[in-house]
């Protein structure tokens, strides 16, 4: 690779670093580094070949270990320092590489290079995360999900560091440490892990009514996604697009999942925490590994600068969204995740996102939450990654050339030649030179500014309850029921009655029926509204917004869906194989689950490979269940508590359940094992066929039910004991 010298002011890359391996088509150098590690021979970090990695050096075979053992000391020293501080928030995450392609040139709105040419594939790295839990916490905690996207553009890295909810808890960054201290485990006993269901969180929230909107999202099933590939993403803040002529418009960014927005139910989330704490991370990894690449469309809501004040809320207020019924989302491109990281630590852990990583054509608004973030992100990397040179880590390197006079610091990688490290200079030919806007330089939008230096919240930020009300009214009955249940669970864990009371008082301002239902669940009466509430601005318009409900989401795809088939020896293998063909063709996977691992006898004559044994999995890890016939097989399952529980839980969670021939007996037995509730499992999504073989109608009905995600209403599903 050519390196720049003082004699060569026009050469490209001052840093001497290899290009980032983030490029989907790896550079030769990065590939070489990967190939070297691990190599054929075992060495120390200095390249010394090691002859014995089993025994330390000692004085006599039973004698003391010698301080001289430099090989032992290097190995243990490195191990002792393997951990770095986890992120102060968003510690638990999973990442993947991919590409972004714009559908058509956006030059009318922005000069951002990666949004001009539909034939351009911009490499990306994405990290999904939960906020409150530690690195080892469970994936399915009730929490906001981080949705960070890095675009490695030819004009530098652009990071869209968003969440899966379009609004945030607070309006001003100065409150962020308070919010996070409140939600994290309580400092005296470090309890609870990865949960907002405790006193300090709700104490804070009950005193900060601006959090009401995000709290409604947090109590909804959006906080327990089915998978990363089935959740939306949002830039949250209002940003600006700037075109080549320097004209600005406001923009909100959205990520719309191609598979639609689908969630778990709370009972599943709780059980998954034990059955598979890596549920989301595993799903992402397997989807990419098996070629079912997760996809999202990038959407934008555009508001002309002159329309800034046309709404009942302030565009600069991160606790507000722009209802899609007021400003539709235009879909402008597609993100595809198509490569798993090679190394979790080097990539997913060391990636350092920053909302201030911008490219020309995209700029900030004056949202005070966004402005405060701009300090926090690079600052946190100094303690997390240990050096201002974190941009030199392979995952953080831009594909654009880096050339400046910043030098030295811990762990500097680049070897920059020459004696010039200042500007202006003549000795380096004046390089590196500034570039004006017309030549691709970043120029901040020249927004006219006037005002006094004050610590004041704008009165236009004062309406805290209209949009939470809009969210509530826009939910289907079952979504509202889940929100009520979530409030009852979370506030039910609060030990101080006054906190519960303050929260209920706030909820009266969101919706009277919501407050009453939560009060009923808590065994309390509804308190009077909070003091001064009548003076807050409020609107009931729009009455509702369809995009806020998951009912209207995209449905119909089976990609990524997992179907469990419950079997034992002497199962009817033929219908199972026909179903496998249909499901696989539709992008779903089928897993054979039996009382034990290994192989079982099947009527086809071929042994059937078992994917999981019943004690090691639960229906919560699957989207649907199928029980083939075969008298002995069904009899064995009817006498297996795991199999009965599997079917009961699937019914309780609204999942499609199918059976052929005497497989239906397991469904009946599961229903009857529900004790005094008695009745049969029936209603939508319970599909049985009397014949031994699966016919077209059966397969079609089963696949259609899976594509709908789950049924929300079934007779008696709420009283299933499972
Ligand atoms: Fe933040 C990480 C998203 C407000 C301070 N934030 C972090 C991550 C996401 C967000 C997705 C994880 C990045 C990764 O995967 O590495 N944060 C948001 C959103 C916010 C927001 C959508 C509001 C709209 N954050 C926010 C504020 C502050 C921070 C107001 C501080 C003033 N956030 C941080 C941080 C983190 C972080 C402490 C921890 C690790 C990191 O930055 O790199 O600096």
């Amino acid at each position: 690779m050519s390196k720049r010298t003082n004699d060569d002011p026009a050469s490209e890359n001052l840093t001497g670093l290899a290009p980032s391996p983030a490029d989907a088509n790896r550079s030769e150098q990065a590939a070489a580094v990967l190939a070297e590690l691990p190599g054929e021979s075992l060495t120390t970090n200095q390249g010394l070949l090691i002859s014995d990695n089993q025994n330390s050096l000692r004085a006599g075979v039973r004698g003391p270990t010698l301080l001289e053992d430099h090989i032992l000391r290097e190995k243990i020293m490195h191990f002792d320092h393997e951990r770095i501080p986890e992120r102060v928030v968003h510690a638990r995450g999973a990442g993947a590489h991919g590409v972004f392609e714009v559908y058509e040139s956006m030059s009318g709105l922005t000069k951002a290079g990666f949004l001009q040419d539909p034939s351009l594939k911009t490499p990306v790295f994405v990290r999904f995360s939960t906020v409150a839990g530690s690195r080892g916490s469970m994936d399915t905690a009730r929490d906001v999900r981080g949705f960070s996207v890095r675009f490695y553009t030819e004009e530098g890295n652009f990071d869209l560091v968003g969440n899966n909810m379009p609004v945030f808890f607070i309006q001003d960054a100065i409150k962020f440490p308070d919010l996070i201290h409140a939600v994290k485990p309580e400092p005296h006993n470090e309890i609870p892990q990865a949960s907002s269901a405790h006193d300090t969180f709700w104490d804070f929230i009950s005193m900060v009514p601006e959090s009401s909107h995000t709290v409604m999202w947090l109590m909804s099933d959006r906080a327990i996604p089915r998978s990363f590939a089935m959740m939306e993403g949002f830039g949250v803040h209002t940003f600006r697009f700037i075109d080549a002529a320097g004209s600005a418009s406001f923009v909100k960014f959205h990520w719309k999942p191609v598979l639609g927005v689908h969630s778990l139910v709370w009972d599943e989330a709780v059980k998954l925490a034990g059955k598979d704490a890596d549920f989301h991370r595993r799903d992402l990894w397997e989807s990419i590994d098996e070629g079912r690449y997760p996809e999202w469309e990038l959407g934008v809501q555009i508001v002309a600068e002159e329309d800034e004040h046309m709404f009942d809320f302030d565009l600069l207020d991160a606790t507000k969204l722009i209802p899609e019924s007021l400003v539709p989302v235009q879909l402008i491109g597609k993100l595809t995740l198509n490569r798993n990281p090679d190394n979790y630590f080097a990539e997913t852990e060391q990636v350092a996102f920053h909302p201030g990583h911008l490219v020309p054509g995209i700029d900030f608004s004056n949202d005070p939450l966004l402005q405060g973030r701009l300090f926090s992100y690079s600052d946190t990397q100094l303690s997390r990654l240990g050096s201002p040179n974190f941009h030199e880590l392979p995952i953080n390197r831009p594909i654009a050339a880096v050339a400046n006079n910043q030098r030295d610091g811990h762990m500097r990688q680049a070897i920059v030649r020459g004696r010039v490290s200042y500007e202006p200079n003549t000795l380096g030919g004046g390089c590196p030179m500034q570039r004006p806007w017309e030549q691709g330089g970043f120029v901040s939008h020249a927004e006219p500014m006037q005002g006094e230096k004050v610590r004041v919240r704008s009165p236009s930020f004062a309406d805290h309850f209209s949009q939470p009300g809009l969210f509530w009214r826009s939910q289907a009955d079952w979504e509202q029921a889940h929100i009520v249940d979530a409030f009852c669970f979370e506030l039910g864990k609060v030990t101080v009655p006054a906190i519960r009371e303050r929260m209920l008082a706030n909820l009266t301002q969101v919706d009277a029926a919501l407050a009453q239902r939560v009060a009923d669940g808590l065994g309390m009466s509804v308190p009077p509204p909070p003091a001064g509430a009548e003076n807050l601005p409020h609107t009931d318009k729009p009455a509702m917004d369809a995009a806020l409900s998951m009912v209207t989401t995209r449905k119909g795809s089976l990609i990524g869906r997992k179907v469990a088939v419950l079997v034992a020896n002497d199962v009817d293998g033929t219908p199972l194989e026909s179903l496998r063909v249909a499901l696989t063709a539709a992008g779903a996977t089928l897993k054979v689950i039996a009382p034990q691992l290994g192989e079982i006898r099947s009527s086809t004559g071929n042994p059937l490979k078992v994917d999981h044994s019943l004690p090691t999995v639960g229906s919560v890890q699957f989207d649907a269940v199928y029980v083939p016939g075969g008298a002995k097989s069904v009899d064995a399952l009817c006498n297996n508590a795991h199999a009965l529980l599997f079917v009961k839980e699937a019914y309780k969670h609204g999942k499609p359940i199918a059976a052929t021939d005497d497989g239906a007996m397991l469904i009946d037995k599961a229903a009857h094992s529900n004790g005094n509730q008695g009745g049969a499992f029936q209603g939508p999504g319970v599909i049985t066929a009397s014949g031994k073989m699966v016919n077209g109608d059966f397969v079609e009905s089963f696949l259609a039910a899976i594509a709908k995600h789950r049924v929300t209403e079934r007779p008696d599903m709420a009283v299933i004991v499972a």
Side-chain angles (χ1 to χ4, degrees):
M1 173 182 166
S2 66
K3 291 192 185 139
R4 183 184 181 281
T5 67
N6 285 344
D7 307 329
D8 177 18
S11 98
E12 283 187 339
N13 190 342
L14 266 181
T15 66
L17 291 171
S20 159
D23 192 332
N25 307 312
R26 289 178 197 290
S27 72
E28 279 173 28
Q29 256 170 307
V33 172
L34 284 166
E36 269 173 33
L37 292 170
E40 218 174 76
S41 307
L42 186 68
T43 75
T44 66
N45 281 340
Q46 303 305 315
L48 176 73
L49 290 172
I50 294 175
S51 61
D52 184 343
N53 191 34
Q54 321 305 322
N55 302 294
S56 45
L57 190 68
R58 42 188 91 104
V61 287
R62 297 183 62 249
T65 301
L66 298 176
L67 187 60
E68 179 195 322
D69 190 350
H70 58 114
I71 294 176
L72 169 76
R73 278 190 286 115
E74 183 202 80
K75 185 175 177 183
I76 301 291
M77 178 277 291
H78 197 278
F79 171 76
D80 288 344
H81 297 273
E82 274 178 5
R83 293 285 93 79
I84 62 170
E86 64 176 33
R87 286 168 175 82
V88 59
V89 282
H90 295 268
R92 173 135 186 111
H97 295 273
V99 290
F100 174 79
E101 295 150 283
V102 71
Y103 291 149
E104 54 187 48
S105 172
M106 297 298 293
S107 60
L109 287 166
T110 172
K111 87 189 279 274
F114 77 105
L115 295 177
Q116 305 301 312
D117 177 3
S119 69
L120 184 71
K121 288 184 193 303
T122 301
V124 297
F125 186 77
V126 176
R127 183 174 180 272
F128 304 106
S129 48
T130 51
V131 179
S134 290
R135 250 188 83 178
S137 56
M138 63 289 202
D139 277 349
T140 56
R142 176 176 296 284
D143 201 350
V144 179
R145 297 296 182 290
F147 194 130
S148 304
V149 183
R150 166 162 301 161
F151 300 81
Y152 297 88
T153 88
E154 289 162 10
E155 298 171 306
N157 288 350
F158 168 52
D159 290 353
L160 191 53
V161 194
N163 282 339
N164 77 328
M165 298 178 190
V167 285
F168 202 67
F169 295 93
I170 46 171
Q171 295 172 322
D172 190 313
I174 201 167
K175 298 305 298 165
F176 190 71
D178 298 302
L179 166 73
I180 300 306
H181 288 172
V183 72
K184 282 273 183 179
E186 299 190 8
H188 59 312
N189 56 10
E190 227 198 8
I191 298 174
Q193 177 56 240
S195 170
S196 51
H198 59 115
D199 287 356
T200 56
F201 178 70
W202 290 102
D203 187 26
F204 176 82
I205 292 297
S206 67
M207 308 279 284
V208 181
E210 74 205 48
S211 65
S212 302
H213 193 187
T214 306
V215 163
M216 292 298 293
W217 284 78
L218 184 67
M219 294 301 107
S220 79
D221 292 350
R222 301 283 188 134
I224 41 172
R226 158 65 182 82
S227 72
F228 294 135
M230 295 179 199
M231 67 183 199
E232 286 178 297
F234 302 88
V236 182
H237 310 283
T238 303
F239 290 85
R240 277 192 168 93
F241 268 161
I242 318 283
D243 69 13
S247 302
S249 30
F250 291 109
V251 57
K252 289 264 196 195
F253 292 107
H254 296 244
W255 291 110
K256 298 275 186 192
V258 168
L259 299 181
V261 190
H262 302 289
S263 284
L264 303 169
V265 294
W266 179 236
D267 190 54
E268 284 178 290
V270 170
K271 289 170 176 162
L272 276 165
K275 287 275 180 195
D276 186 6
D278 304 301
F279 185 65
H280 287 148
R281 163 186 296 212
R282 190 187 308 284
D283 179 89
L284 178 66
W285 183 275
E286 288 179 356
S287 298
I288 295 174
D289 213 33
E290 292 162 14
R292 287 178 274 104
Y293 299 144
E295 293 176 322
W296 291 260
E297 291 188 288
L298 178 63
V300 290
Q301 285 175 297
I302 303 292
V303 176
E305 286 267 310
E306 56 272 25
D307 292 338
E308 179 177 3
H309 301 293
M310 70 180 276
F311 303 100
D312 291 323
F313 52 89
D314 197 321
L315 285 182
L316 305 185
D317 175 356
T319 67
K320 307 295 186 300
L321 51 79
I322 308 179
E324 291 187 29
S325 49
L326 299 185
V327 179
V329 174
Q330 305 171 36
L331 299 174
I332 67 164
K334 186 177 277 189
L335 163 70
T336 308
L337 296 182
N338 57 17
R339 181 159 68 83
N340 279 317
D342 291 296
N343 182 281
Y344 183 89
F345 182 85
E347 300 178 88
T348 310
E349 192 59 16
Q350 293 202 119
V351 65
F353 289 98
H354 192 324
H357 292 166
L358 288 187
V359 287
I362 301 179
D363 208 339
F364 310 122
S365 69
N366 294 327
D367 175 342
L369 191 71
L370 173 58
Q371 301 277 324
R373 291 177 75 189
L374 299 180
F375 164 71
S376 187
Y377 286 69
S378 40
D379 187 45
T380 204
Q381 312 308 346
L382 295 181
S383 55
R384 203 169 71 78
L385 299 171
S387 153
N389 291 319
F390 59 82
H391 62 284
E392 294 187 335
L393 294 168
I395 192 67
N396 292 325
R397 283 181 216 157
I399 57 167
V402 173
N404 58 47
N405 294 311
Q406 291 158 27
R407 291 288 186 277
D408 308 343
H410 281 298
M411 294 297 166
R412 181 70 171 173
Q413 311 283 303
I415 303 171
V416 186
R417 289 188 178 148
R419 56 179 167 157
V420 174
S421 56
Y422 55 88
E423 193 274 339
N425 68 64
T426 59
L427 298 181
C431 295
M433 293 179 199
Q434 303 174 143
R435 294 292 180 205
W437 175 257
E438 296 72 27
Q439 291 176 24
F442 181 84
V443 177
S444 291
H445 178 57
E447 184 184 0
M449 280 293 143
Q450 201 189 2
E452 290 167 359
K453 198 195 284 181
V454 286
R455 282 192 195 271
V456 175
R457 196 75 58 92
S458 167
S460 55
F461 281 37
D463 177 357
H464 302 319
F465 295 114
S466 299
Q467 287 208 350
L470 170 65
F471 182 77
W472 169 256
R473 293 191 300 274
S474 304
Q475 304 300 297
D477 289 350
W478 61 271
E479 289 174 305
Q480 290 190 340
H482 291 188
I483 291 172
V484 171
D485 289 348
F487 270 115
C488 292
F489 177 90
E490 297 262 323
L491 295 175
K493 295 272 187 182
V494 167
T495 64
V496 181
I499 297 176
R500 278 185 247 139
E501 205 159 296
R502 275 202 304 275
M503 267 318 298
L504 279 179
N506 283 351
L507 289 185
T508 61
Q509 301 306 288
V510 175
D511 187 275
L514 167 65
Q516 185 62 60
R517 288 168 68 178
V518 177
D520 291 346
L522 295 172
M524 296 171 67
S525 42
V526 178
E534 65 284 0
N535 301 324
L536 292 179
H538 191 87
T539 173
D540 287 334
K541 294 198 180 71
M544 63 173 294
D545 191 84
L548 300 176
S549 166
M550 287 190 281
V551 169
T552 57
T553 194
R554 299 178 200 196
K555 291 188 181 123
S557 173
L558 271 87
I559 293 174
R561 297 297 183 171
K562 295 195 175 70
V563 179
V565 185
L566 303 187
V567 300
N569 273 326
D570 299 314
V571 62
D572 278 348
T574 316
L576 189 161
E577 292 311 329
S578 319
L579 196 63
R580 192 197 296 270
V581 171
L583 284 168
T584 310
T589 49
L590 179 151
K591 297 287 178 194
V592 174
I593 301 172
Q596 69 288 315
L597 277 178
E599 289 179 341
I600 57 159
R601 290 189 305 272
S602 148
S603 62
T604 60
N606 295 326
L608 193 60
K609 184 181 158 297
V610 178
D611 296 302
H612 303 287
S613 64
L614 269 167
T616 63
V617 286
S619 78
V620 291
Q621 291 160 269
F622 297 88
D623 296 289
V625 192
Y626 166 55
V627 190
K632 283 190 187 162
S633 167
V634 176
D635 189 52
L637 294 172
C638 283
N639 289 297
N640 185 308
H642 292 293
L644 294 168
L645 181 66
F646 207 101
V647 175
K648 272 168 73 171
E649 275 187 344
Y651 185 81
K652 179 186 175 80
H653 298 147
K655 291 175 178 168
I657 302 175
T660 38
D661 201 19
D662 41 7
M665 280 169 57
L666 181 66
I667 303 180
D668 286 343
K669 180 85 190 288
H672 288 107
S673 73
N674 201 41
N676 57 358
Q677 306 309 330
F681 284 166
Q682 55 189 320
V686 179
I687 301 145
T688 53
S690 49
K692 272 193 186 312
M693 309 303 286
V694 291
N695 61 28
D697 282 352
F698 173 86
V699 173
E700 210 175 290
S701 312
F702 190 36
L703 268 59
I706 300 169
K708 285 186 192 146
H709 182 53
R710 74 175 82 237
V711 292
T712 54
E713 276 310 320
R714 268 177 178 159
D716 296 339
M717 72 191 280
V719 293
I720 302 300
V721 183

